[in-house]
């Protein structure tokens, strides 16, 4: 049997917590982040967490909104953390059956950098992996997760198998994930999925790092614009 290498030193992960609660208020979403980041750290992954609501993130879809009329914008500093990371996990609560407004703003700002290119001429997020964590006491984990994961893959992130996890309490008002008696931290389904997600993110991030990212053939915008069609056959010329 082949021995599995469990040392992920050199891999970096960033968790962006999209809670509506400013620090130091308790974030239930942070409870799930702590589980995943602890597993990563145990195996050499360098982890960082940003609570987005603690920062003055301007509204818009450009890398730096100060260049577009805003007097302040903390996103460029967060964006540097994004670019320094092999793994990005977006985590947040469910409100009205959907992702939080903070999560949506993070999506928009990530999209604002998606036109930039890496050294191979691919879109900038190629070669990185993404996942998500969702919490709440109303239905919507899968709906929120599919929105997050679609956003990440659309802008260039690679999504591994089972790249999401979440916890919800009973429908309606009730205890949140970290509240006494909620059962959240002891929920086997949530703990299993969070663990599986974490390992899948680490495995795929290391695979991509060792491979030098996604091969740069068939996905270079400059090549397409220059007339290279990468074996695309136009039906009009058949």
């Amino acid at each position: 049997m082949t021995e599995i290498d469990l040392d992920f030193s050199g891999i970096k992960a960033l968790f962006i917590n999209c809670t509506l609660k400013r620090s130091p208020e308790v974030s239930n979403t942070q409870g799930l982040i702590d589980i995943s980041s602890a597993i990563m750290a145990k195996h050499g992954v360098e982890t960082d967490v940003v609570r987005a609501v603690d920062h003055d993130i301007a509204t818009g879809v450009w890398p730096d909104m100060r260049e577009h009329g805003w007097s302040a914008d903390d996103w460029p500093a967060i964006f540097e953390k994004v670019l320094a990371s092999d793994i990005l996990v977006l985590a947040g609560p469910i409100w009205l059956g959907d992702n939080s407004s903070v999560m949506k703003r993070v999506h928009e700002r990530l999209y604002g950098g998606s036109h930039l290119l890496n050294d191979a001429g691919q879109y900038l997020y190629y070669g990185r992996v993404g996942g998500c964590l969702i919490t709440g006491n109303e239905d919507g984990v899968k709906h929120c997760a599919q929105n997050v994961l679609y956003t990440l893959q659309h802008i260039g992130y690679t999504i591994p198998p089972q790249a999401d996890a979440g916890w919800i309490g009973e429908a309606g008002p009730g205890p949140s994930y970290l509240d006494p008696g909620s059962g959240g931290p002891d929920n086997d389904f949530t703990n299993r999925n969070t663990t599986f997600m974490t390992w899948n993110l680490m495995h795929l991030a290391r695979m991509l790092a060792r491979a030098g990212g996604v091969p740069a053939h068939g996905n270079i915008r400059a090549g397409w614009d220059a007339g290279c069609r990468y074996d695309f056959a136009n039906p009009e010329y058949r």
Side-chain angles (χ1 to χ4, degrees), residues 7 20 25 37 40 51 68 85 98 147 157 185 189 197 208 213-214 218 231:
D7 181 7
L20 301 184
E25 191 172 354
S37 62
M40 291 186 183
R51 190 182 290 206
H68 298 270
S85 301
D98 208 342
N147 176 242
Y157 277 87
F189 181 80
M197 178 207 74
L208 285 171
V214 177
D231 296 324

Side-chain angles (χ1 to χ4, degrees), residues 25-222:
E25 191 172 354
V26 172
S27 163
N28 292 286
T29 300
Q30 188 63 42
L32 280 185
I33 291 174
D34 290 343
I35 293 173
S36 181
S37 62
I39 294 172
M40 291 186 183
K42 183 177 180 180
H43 295 281
V45 177
E46 181 181 332
T47 64
D48 193 8
V49 180
V50 170
R51 190 182 290 206
V53 76
D54 288 342
H55 301 271
D56 188 358
I57 300 175
T59 300
V61 289
W62 295 100
D64 189 343
M65 292 307 299
R66 292 172 298 185
E67 299 174 357
H68 298 270
W70 288 76
S71 60
D73 187 9
D74 289 348
W75 179 256
I78 298 172
F79 190 51
E80 289 300 316
K81 293 177 180 286
V82 170
L83 297 185
S85 301
D86 306 285
I87 298 170
L88 176 64
V89 180
L90 301 184
I94 303 168
W95 287 109
L96 299 174
D98 208 342
N99 283 302
S100 72
S101 58
V102 178
M103 178 72 82
K104 292 294 189 179
R105 180 167 298 188
V106 169
H107 285 187
E108 291 165 351
R109 299 309 303 273
L110 286 168
Y111 179 75
S114 63
H115 66 288
L116 302 173
L117 304 178
N118 63 20
D119 292 340
Q122 301 164 306
Y123 291 118
L124 192 59
Y125 302 125
Y126 273 46
R128 309 167 195 272
V129 301
C132 74
L133 296 167
I134 304 295
T135 58
N137 60 358
E138 57 184 86
D139 194 16
V141 169
K142 289 182 172 64
H143 168 76
C144 291
Q146 72 181 12
N147 176 242
V148 174
L149 296 178
Y150 171 81
T151 297
L152 290 174
Q153 68 80 30
H154 181 74
I155 62 177
Y157 277 87
T158 302
I159 308 300
Q162 211 271 279
D164 65 296
W167 180 88
I168 52 172
E170 295 182 2
S176 296
Y177 178 72
L178 293 178
D179 289 344
S182 72
D186 299 319
N187 186 283
D188 185 71
F189 181 80
T190 295
N191 290 336
R192 183 196 70 193
N193 284 355
T194 303
T195 300
F196 283 13
M197 178 207 74
T198 303
W199 279 101
N200 289 339
L201 288 168
M202 291 194 295
H203 286 314
L204 188 55
R206 188 170 62 184
M207 289 167 63
L208 285 171
R210 289 176 172 175
V214 177
H217 178 81
N219 53 37
I220 303 297
R221 175 65 183 270

